[in-house]
Amino acid sequence: MLNAKASLDKTSSPRGFFTEKIALHETAKAIHELIPEGFLRAQLDVRIVNPISNSDLKLFRHDESFMWLDEFSSVISCSEALRQVMYKEEAGTWFSATIVVSIEGNIDASYNYDTEPEWDFPISAECYLTDQEAFPRDDGQIPEWLKTRLAEGMTIREKNSLE
């Protein structure tokens, strides 16, 4: 029996299709609860590299105009948990995702595993190194841009350890 309330700790949680679906459903549910009357859908754009995250949540009206939502911490927590359960040994996990939830409850999700996220602010290359340690990828699964950022992160870490 699958326990939907199981811990989402990467090292002890169950993985697989159903666990991912439950985590996506929980994220979508948290997004859906924030859609006010008169709006058609919500779109979460999230970028996560352990320990940094950056997210935007837009609410769309029927005429396609939108407004930004400022407070959505429950959604951020759910998306971080989703990223954890989607980790695949040796292949890693996603760096950014877009999740759209309609007022009817339909979900459309896309995940970026291979390209560097577009951050709203600069982040240290050391964050990518920390992320690689938390969610390891085999060398063959590491894109060239990430290899460069990991090398930069190692240089920063080594320099900091000498100080």
Side-chain angles (χ1 to χ4, degrees), residues 1-74:
M1 183 170 156
L2 183 63
N3 181 357
K5 296 194 184 279
S7 167
L8 293 177
D9 180 314
K10 176 174 78 76
T11 59
S12 64
S13 67
R15 288 219 201 333
F17 177 78
F18 292 111
T19 304
E20 291 176 15
K21 288 295 181 188
I22 290 168
L24 176 58
H25 175 74
E26 290 299 314
T27 304
K29 180 180 171 187
I31 294 169
H32 189 266
E33 289 172 355
L34 298 174
I35 302 174
E37 189 174 322
F39 285 80
L40 181 63
R41 69 182 184 282
Q43 178 177 315
L44 173 70
D45 292 304
V46 59
R47 296 152 296 281
I48 304 175
V49 175
N50 195 30
I52 305 291
S53 69
N54 179 233
S55 304
D56 302 304
L57 187 61
K58 290 193 280 190
L59 302 170
F60 289 86
R61 295 177 185 89
H62 292 277
D63 65 1
E64 291 302 310
S65 65
F66 65 89
M67 66 178 239
W68 299 96
L69 196 60
D70 293 327
E71 174 52 41
F72 50 98
S73 57
S74 63

Side-chain angles (χ1 to χ4, degrees), residues 110-129:
S110 60
Y111 306 96
N112 163 35
Y113 290 85
D114 299 317
T115 60
E116 186 168 11
E118 293 184 25
W119 298 92
D120 292 343
F121 48 83
I123 67 165
S124 170
E126 195 171 7
C127 293
Y128 289 100
L129 186 57

Side-chain angles (χ1 to χ4, degrees), residues 78-92:
C78 289
S79 64
E80 289 171 347
L82 175 62
R83 184 174 189 256
Q84 269 192 335
V85 301
M86 290 185 73
Y87 169 74
K88 302 279 190 273
E89 195 169 322
E90 301 172 356

